Amino acid sequence: MSLFKKSTLTDVAQRAGVSVTTASYILNGRSTQMRISAETERRVQTAIRDLNYRPNWSARNLRRSSTKTIGVISDFVASGAFSSQLLTGASAAARLSGHLLVIGESMGDRDVEELLIEDMVGRQVDGVIYATRSTASVRVPDKLRDVRAVLLNCLDDDLALPAVLPDDMQGGRTAVEHLVAAGVRDPIYVVGEDPTPEATAGLDRVRGINAALVEAGRKLAGCVPCPWDVAPAYDAMEAQLRTGVRPGALVCLNDRVAMGVYQALAEYGLSVPDDVSVIAFDGSDLASWLRPRLTSLELPFRDMGALAVEMLMSSGSNAGPLTGVSAGTVTRLPLELQAGASVRGAVPARSEAWRA
């Protein structure tokens, strides 16, 4: 066979000693359904590898009324080093189902968002994932209301669309439970505030924090409001310490806030965790870089992205709203505690034990 000739399904069938129909069934994952033996499937798969056979997706898609593409509309997700994990998980799940992600980033511009949606609908993508960098309450564009769509890291209270979000309230509870189990002393403060009115992560985390403290017979001493970044967190914490407040523990609403808090505490001669225990949210690389290593609740971004694709693909129809997932199904994935060495009395992470 010439090196420049592309192998066909007929070539595969002849190489494996089966009919083209049988080879097609195996290629499309229907071996069990059609009662094809394992030995026959093995021969066909071997032939596919030997001949370097690649399916003609364009022809298959025309027959199936499917483009094998999934559109992703986001605000700043693709350009965010941390939130891009949503796309990493979604892309891996899409590949498993033979799909390709087509990503459009609006940079928060509603007009650009509308154009991106029009383009993806015009390209007949098999579905659309609407994602936001920050967990938020949103209003989905009207043009997405009649197509197969799943919300990722956001929720539209006025529209019954399936959504995948982190369980921030559970995360807040887990943070407090970890502090209480370690025997940290009062007072306990929260540092940070939701970055925008639409954001919901901070509010849900504080709700979980308060609920867990009440159950433990304790209460939150107060909040140190600041944007979720290093410099504002340093300024806010430094101002609080200047008044003479000496916290027993600080729950920072993200890892960048914790970094600013570390710096402010050090300036006042306070050690983490001997003087003040610190716990945060995100589970970003920053948590592992801080010294002592920051204990942080990791956001399940990759799993969220993968689940959004799975939900999108669960419908049997390629047109119209999702039918395989109950309308308005909201799935919240738990945040996992990544134990560091920033909480006094807690067992340090293995990688930190030698530094203790």
Side-chain angles (χ1 to χ4, degrees):
M1 181 182 296
S2 168
L3 293 175
F4 299 99
K5 180 184 176 183
K6 184 177 179 181
S7 299
T8 66
L9 189 58
T10 299
D11 295 327
V12 170
Q14 290 176 348
R15 180 73 167 255
V18 300
S19 69
V20 173
T21 301
T22 297
S24 177
Y25 284 149
I26 292 171
L27 181 65
N28 288 282
R30 299 173 63 189
S31 300
T32 303
Q33 179 183 348
M34 306 309 297
R35 298 182 181 179
I36 297 172
S37 72
E39 172 58 24
T40 300
E41 182 173 3
R42 185 193 64 76
R43 294 204 313 272
V44 171
Q45 295 293 355
T46 298
I48 288 172
R49 288 193 300 271
D50 291 346
L51 296 173
N52 195 27
Y53 173 70
R54 295 291 182 270
N56 185 337
W57 290 110
S58 296
R60 294 176 73 192
N61 292 340
L62 286 173
R63 291 193 298 271
R64 297 179 178 184
S65 299
S66 168
T67 60
K68 286 293 181 179
T69 55
I70 296 172
V72 177
I73 304 290
S74 78
D75 47 11
F76 304 95
V77 171
S79 58
F82 183 51
S83 56
S84 63
Q85 292 179 38
L86 290 167
L87 300 180
T88 301
S91 180
R95 288 196 302 272
L96 286 175
S97 66
H99 284 71
L100 179 70
L101 288 190
V102 179
I103 301 168
E105 192 171 53
S106 69
M107 302 300 288
D109 187 314
R110 198 72 171 183
D111 292 334
V112 172
E113 184 178 77
E114 294 280 352
L115 291 173
L116 288 171
I117 294 170
E118 284 182 9
D119 185 48
M120 289 187 181
V121 172
R123 292 174 184 270
Q124 297 182 316
V125 294
D126 292 344
V128 174
I129 293 174
Y130 185 87
T132 56
R133 179 176 61 183
S134 299
T135 309
S137 177
V138 300
R139 186 183 185 282
V140 174
D142 291 337
K143 292 179 180 178
L144 273 187
R145 295 178 175 237
D146 295 321
V147 301
R148 175 193 288 193
V150 171
L151 305 183
L152 178 57
N153 205 34
C154 56
L155 187 65
D156 187 334
D157 292 326
D158 297 326
L159 187 63
L161 274 180
V164 183
L165 302 100
D167 194 341
D168 285 302
M169 189 174 297
Q170 166 269 327
R173 297 182 67 94
T174 300
V176 168
E177 288 166 1
H178 185 69
L179 293 175
V180 171
V184 300
R185 62 178 178 83
D186 288 330
I188 298 175
Y189 289 84
V190 166
V191 187
E193 61 184 341
D194 274 321
T196 65
E198 298 80 22
T200 60
L203 181 60
D204 284 343
R205 290 170 189 173
V206 172
R207 284 174 177 163
I209 289 166
N210 278 315
L213 283 172
V214 169
E215 290 175 7
R218 302 168 75 167
K219 66 178 182 178
L220 192 65
C223 293
V224 182
C226 64
W228 291 17
D229 217 335
V230 179
Y234 166 82
D235 290 340
M237 196 70 238
E238 192 277 332
Q240 190 79 3
L241 294 171
R242 200 187 315 145
T243 66
V245 167
R246 292 297 180 266
L250 298 170
V251 184
C252 301
L253 292 185
N254 80 352
D255 294 342
R256 296 190 304 279
V257 168
M259 184 175 184
V261 162
Y262 267 44
Q263 294 172 348
L265 292 172
E267 188 163 310
Y268 278 79
L270 298 173
S271 170
V272 177
D274 293 337
D275 298 313
V276 183
S277 292
V278 180
I279 192 169
F281 298 84
D282 278 357
S284 65
D285 288 341
L286 178 59
S288 65
W289 298 336
L290 288 173
R291 292 295 178 265
R293 180 176 180 142
L294 176 65
T295 295
S296 185
L297 279 297
E298 182 179 11
L299 286 165
F301 275 166
R302 292 194 184 196
D303 290 343
M304 288 166 55
L307 181 58
V309 169
E310 291 170 10
M311 292 173 70
L312 196 66
M313 293 294 96
S314 66
S315 173
S317 170
N318 287 324
L322 276 169
T323 58
V325 178
S326 298
T329 297
V330 177
T331 303
R332 297 183 185 273
L333 299 186
L335 283 66
E336 182 178 348
L337 182 73
Q338 300 295 323
S342 62
V343 175
R344 183 178 181 180
V347 177
R350 263 183 207 174
S351 59
E352 292 295 316
W354 66 274
R355 293 188 179 94

